[in-house]
Amino acid sequence: MLKVPVFPDSAPMPPSPSAQALHPAGKRTGRADTDSARCLMCKVREYNLCSSIEDHDVAVLAQATRQISLPPGTAVIEEGTPASAFFNVINGTVKLFKSLPDGRRQITGFADAGQFVGLSNSRTYSFGAETVSTVLLCRCTHTQIENLLAEYPGFARHLLSAVTHELADAQEQMLLLGRKTAKEKVASFLLDRIKQYHRTHPHDPDAETTASVPMTRVDIADYLGLTIETVSRTISALRRDKIISGTENHCIRILSLPNLQDIAYGLKSI
């Protein structure tokens, strides 16, 4: 059964005009020290939205966010509920989806470490989000996001860039669903998962040939608009042709990246 967490706001997060206002004379004690250290040591801060906020202002960021850990299969966002919070993924994977009245749903994307979910220009969420694996998130209310955008232009620029990338991804997804064959869809999906692994493991010598695949084949099929049997047959064919190797620790090793790229771009069939 789907688990729905409660995100209490028992300790209100007031607007923070500046780090100095929060901590006069630069003095930080107790909870503030702990929160600031959390942000400074965050392993994804260097490549997510928070990178635009300098170390000397990190107390503002720390005061605006709360860190939460959720197990697999937990609802982060329920479609149609009030859009009150914004989430930064620190670790793990979240799947995004749209639902139909009869219960069917289409997975529209996956948010991994360094990415965000929950941005909305309406009062309610137009999509749902659920954890694929154990996920560590930073939660920020929409009010706090608005305060950060107003105070830090760099934060606003980073958010605009991230939204632009999301739009490009949505266009790629439309091409994927509308024009590509099943083989091309699976190959394209694996190439996208290689990019994600490389982004979060830049120092891994095998990063350019490793695809992070923590989701089930049912989720992959839902995302690609295929049946699970078709996904399984295609992955087996790629393995049989020695283009990929078996799954290990939720990763697929790519044995022949050029061949996988040719299949994704419709230059080769299997």
Side-chain angles (χ1 to χ4, degrees):
M1 186 173 74
L2 184 66
K3 300 179 282 292
V4 181
V6 176
F7 301 117
D9 288 314
S10 55
M13 298 179 288
S16 305
S18 69
Q20 187 173 1
L22 282 170
H23 307 285
K27 295 180 180 179
R28 303 173 186 175
T29 58
R31 174 67 179 271
D33 275 339
T34 302
D35 286 349
S36 295
R38 164 174 60 82
C39 288
L40 287 170
M41 294 187 295
C42 178
K43 65 180 182 179
V44 301
R45 181 173 167 236
E46 63 180 283
Y47 55 84
N48 72 3
L49 296 174
C50 303
S51 62
S52 58
I53 297 179
E54 301 293 340
D55 288 355
H56 57 76
D57 280 339
V58 75
V60 177
L61 184 63
Q63 286 289 314
T65 60
R66 294 291 182 268
Q67 198 169 88
I68 55 176
S69 179
L70 300 174
T74 301
V76 179
I77 290 171
E78 288 191 274
E79 189 173 353
T81 59
S84 59
F86 178 91
F87 301 89
N88 237 335
V89 183
I90 307 303
N91 192 40
T93 301
V94 175
K95 59 185 175 185
L96 314 177
F97 56 88
K98 291 280 292 181
S99 299
L100 292 173
D102 63 3
R104 288 177 297 164
R105 69 181 186 181
Q106 171 71 48
I107 292 179
T108 58
F110 298 95
D112 299 278
Q115 298 176 308
F116 67 87
V117 296
L119 190 65
S120 176
N121 63 352
S122 65
R123 294 186 178 183
T124 59
Y125 293 116
S126 60
F127 61 93
E130 180 184 324
T131 57
V132 171
S133 55
T134 298
V135 172
L136 186 64
L137 300 164
C138 264
R139 180 179 183 269
C140 184
T141 67
H142 276 194
T143 298
Q144 288 290 348
I145 282 291
E146 290 171 3
N147 292 335
L148 290 171
L149 291 172
E151 187 172 351
Y152 297 97
F155 190 84
R157 287 193 296 270
H158 272 63
L159 182 58
L160 176 61
S161 176
V163 171
T164 301
H165 281 297
E166 281 207 344
L167 178 59
D169 288 342
Q171 292 171 334
E172 285 292 328
Q173 178 69 357
M174 286 188 287
L175 173 63
L176 187 76
L177 293 175
R179 292 297 179 182
K180 291 195 172 185
T181 67
K183 296 170 184 177
E184 292 166 355
K185 288 180 179 182
V186 173
S188 297
F189 171 74
L190 291 176
L191 289 178
D192 184 64
R193 299 308 300 175
I194 292 171
K195 292 178 184 177
Q196 169 56 29
Y197 186 87
H198 186 270
R199 190 169 63 86
T200 54
H201 299 78
H203 305 300
D204 186 337
D206 296 322
E208 294 185 357
T209 56
T210 302
S212 172
V213 190
M215 62 289 295
T216 65
R217 292 192 181 183
V218 173
D219 284 345
I220 296 172
D222 194 352
Y223 176 65
L224 298 178
L226 301 172
T227 64
I228 185 173
E229 292 80 10
T230 299
V231 170
S232 296
R233 282 198 302 270
T234 305
I235 289 176
S236 295
L238 290 170
R239 187 183 297 116
R240 185 177 60 249
D241 291 348
K242 302 189 184 304
I243 295 173
I244 66 172
S245 65
T247 305
E248 182 178 349
N249 296 324
H250 300 297
C251 289
I252 290 178
R253 185 74 63 192
I254 311 303
L255 303 178
S256 178
L257 185 58
N259 281 335
L260 188 67
Q261 291 171 329
D262 284 348
I263 294 170
Y265 302 147
L267 303 176
K268 180 179 181 179
S269 60
I270 56 173

